Amino acid sequence: MTPLVLLVGFLGSGKTSLLRKTLPALKERGILSKVILNDYQNARVDSAALADLVEAIVPIAGSCVCCESAEELLNELANKPPNAGEILFVETNGTTDSMQLIEMILFNAGLKELYHPVLQITIVDTLRWQKRVWHNELERLQVKTATHLLLGWQDKAGAGRLNHVRRDLQELNAHADFVDHAQLIDVLAESLHAEAPEEHEHHHEHEGECGEHCHHDHDHEGHDHEHEHHHHDHEATAHGFVSVEIEPALNITQDELTTWWRGLPDGVLRAKGTIPQGEKKFLYFQALAGSAQPHFEDLEPTEWTRPLLVLIGYGLTEEELRALAPRAESKVSA
């Protein structure tokens, strides 16, 4: 299978510069790459600058690949996969909602058969971290979903600033590994040898949609917990992102859901679903890693509404992720 590497970072963080260093370094090891490059205006310009360094490059100009340009990205991923032994990079534009992009890829059955592992490398602009005014929460989201973090512009920042940013990132994302460029090359080389996940029987086919609740929202709310940072071994990295869908036939209150969410391990990045609340009533909820309180909405059911739980994690197997779901026979207490 082909490793799929999502390269994420805010505007000006240094994503294209990282690719210009990474692609030749991989080629020296005999590893070939393909790049899909998304940007508002400069996709073709940056593609031309990278053309000599890569086997194939595809520009996607316009809006984010997590929303308006999503169909173009999915078509490219599905219809023109790289050759065996190659790595596919997707360089996203600076305002990409990384969680929405990951969900879109993970719940596409065809892509799961083509790409593994799925990794997210987030480049953080050390100088401008959390100086984005109304885009600060988007920048934090791009860190929360990362599998690996790389600090950019370190040579321009003092030791105090570096330590401050590193502490912020550790608190936001306990499961991500900090890497420098040499370590990143090792991670990418190892990803070529990751074993494909075993197939699991699912109760239904996921269509990649969750009605009115799936939308491109660049303003995410949430309170952050302090987490002790740790490093994952190669086996955890090989899992990449994993996702499961479960159709739970249980009633669970908002308080019970909140308690359950707060007790999940750091590797769970996202939970959302529709939970029955008595006769003909449903509750929609969603929560992102770092948020102490899930977001709840009363949901007016339609003929398509059913009890459903979606979990997305990193460094876990599908079995481990599935085992974390609340069970009717052992409901958590508020």
Side-chain angles (χ1 to χ4, degrees):
M1 298 180 77
T2 298
L4 177 58
V5 180
L6 307 176
L7 195 56
V8 174
F10 213 78
L11 301 167
S13 60
K15 297 186 295 293
T16 304
S17 297
L18 179 65
L19 273 179
R20 290 182 63 83
K21 289 179 60 181
T22 299
L23 298 175
L26 290 173
K27 205 164 189 176
E28 287 180 3
R29 296 198 184 189
I31 300 172
L32 304 181
S33 307
K34 176 181 177 180
V35 173
I36 297 175
L37 193 151
N38 172 225
D39 204 352
Y40 286 111
Q41 299 293 334
N42 301 320
R44 295 188 183 279
V45 174
D46 288 340
S47 295
L50 294 168
D52 294 338
L53 306 175
V54 70
E55 300 310 298
I57 187 163
V58 178
I60 297 180
S63 189
C64 303
V65 286
C66 59
C67 51
E68 281 89 344
S69 296
E71 184 175 357
E72 189 174 354
L73 173 64
L74 291 177
N75 287 339
E76 190 66 34
L77 291 174
N79 298 327
K80 300 177 183 178
N83 297 319
E86 295 183 353
I87 296 176
L88 176 58
F89 292 89
V90 177
E91 180 185 334
T92 64
N93 71 33
T95 58
T96 295
D97 181 329
S98 50
M99 190 72 256
Q100 188 157 320
L101 176 61
I102 291 164
E103 289 183 356
M104 181 179 72
I105 293 171
L106 288 183
F107 290 111
N108 184 300
L111 296 186
K112 289 184 71 172
E113 296 179 359
L114 294 173
Y115 298 100
H116 179 78
V118 179
L119 304 175
Q120 181 190 321
I121 314 299
T122 294
I123 306 176
V124 176
D125 184 337
T126 309
L127 291 176
R128 292 185 285 177
W129 165 252
Q130 289 299 276
K131 297 181 179 180
R132 311 289 183 177
V133 192
W134 52 84
H135 291 307
N136 279 349
E137 188 56 35
L138 173 61
E139 188 180 39
R140 291 162 69 86
L141 172 66
Q142 293 176 344
V143 168
K144 289 178 182 179
T145 57
T147 61
H148 298 81
L149 294 167
L150 192 148
L151 298 179
W153 302 100
Q154 294 190 56
D155 56 330
K156 304 292 185 182
R161 176 66 179 170
L162 279 173
N163 290 335
H164 168 74
V165 172
R166 183 179 283 269
R167 283 195 301 269
D168 274 1
L169 303 182
Q170 288 175 344
E171 292 176 1
L172 278 172
N173 186 339
H175 68 263
D177 287 334
F178 286 86
V179 292
D180 58 23
H181 186 255
Q183 292 167 330
L184 175 60
I185 298 302
D186 288 338
V187 168
L188 296 173
E190 290 168 4
S191 72
L192 286 167
H193 306 293
E195 294 184 3
E198 296 181 3
E199 291 296 324
H200 299 278
E201 182 179 351
H202 293 279
H203 297 291
H204 64 281
E205 284 293 319
H206 185 89
E207 300 176 356
E209 299 177 356
C210 54
E212 60 182 315
H213 299 289
C214 281
H215 57 276
H216 188 98
D217 183 358
H218 283 164
D219 184 17
H220 296 264
E221 296 180 357
H223 301 288
D224 302 306
H225 295 288
E226 280 194 26
H227 296 291
E228 181 180 352
H229 182 66
H230 60 278
H231 289 277
H232 288 273
D233 57 22
H234 298 323
E235 182 182 359
T237 299
H239 290 317
F241 289 107
V242 293
S243 62
V244 295
E245 291 179 350
I246 305 158
E247 294 192 8
L250 73 155
N251 288 309
I252 186 169
T253 67
Q254 292 190 27
D255 286 344
E256 289 169 336
L257 267 173
T258 299
T259 301
W260 166 77
W261 166 250
R262 290 175 177 172
L264 292 176
D266 291 331
V268 180
L269 304 181
R270 175 80 145 150
K272 64 179 180 180
T274 51
I275 305 297
Q277 298 288 285
E279 188 176 356
K280 297 182 179 179
K281 292 184 179 179
F282 278 84
L283 182 71
Y284 172 79
F285 81 97
Q286 58 178 326
L288 183 67
S291 60
Q293 178 74 32
H295 173 74
F296 297 102
E297 296 179 32
D298 291 325
L299 182 63
E300 189 69 31
T302 69
E303 60 179 311
W304 307 108
T305 305
R306 63 187 185 277
L308 179 66
L309 174 65
V310 173
L311 294 175
I312 295 176
Y314 169 72
L316 301 166
T317 65
E318 287 191 11
E319 292 90 343
E320 291 169 336
L321 199 59
R322 190 176 296 276
L324 293 172
R327 304 295 179 184
E329 63 271 18
S330 59
K331 290 175 66 176
V332 294
S333 58

